[in-house]
Amino acid sequence: MQLSKSEEELMNIIWKQKKAFMKDLLDAYPDPKPATTTVATLLKRMTDKGFVAYKSLGRSREYFPLVKKKDYFSKHVNGLIKNFFNNSPGQFASFFTQETNLSKLELEELKKLIDKEIEKK
């Protein structure tokens, strides 16, 4: 299951804060802040999708993530490779390195990361 753009924005806040009440979430948004009802609706949808849960503390709810950020984006990237690059990581890497205007230093850092992963195999 995927998150909408606005749900992803809120999920990033929750991942960063680890646990948060509605007030904490609203405070984390840049101005202009969304309405409380908007955030409440997003939280309800995200709870229904299984991304977020909460603990009731009196009349308040403390929200926390059920899905790790790494796991969510890993599935996202794998889906991107499958759907847009014929399930070819090589095509994805070629596109990524050519179309993102990476500097020589950034490309060298990527190469080091890849070399390190090759050594682990």
Side-chain angles (χ1 to χ4, degrees), residues 24-89:
D24 303 321
L25 297 172
L26 287 168
D27 288 346
Y29 274 94
D31 288 326
K33 296 184 186 305
T36 304
T37 53
T38 301
V39 175
T41 300
L42 292 172
L43 287 167
K44 168 82 171 94
R45 282 193 290 188
M46 292 161 64
T47 301
D48 291 345
K49 289 179 179 181
F51 284 93
V52 174
Y54 61 86
K55 282 189 250 179
S56 293
L57 301 168
R59 293 182 59 188
S60 298
R61 291 178 174 178
E62 184 179 44
Y63 294 91
F64 56 92
L66 292 176
V67 175
K68 293 178 181 168
K69 187 175 187 174
K70 181 181 176 185
D71 294 342
Y72 178 72
F73 284 103
S74 176
K75 284 183 184 176
H76 229 31
V77 169
N78 287 328
L80 203 98
I81 292 169
K82 182 180 179 187
N83 295 323
F84 294 101
F85 297 98
N86 301 318
N87 211 20
S88 169

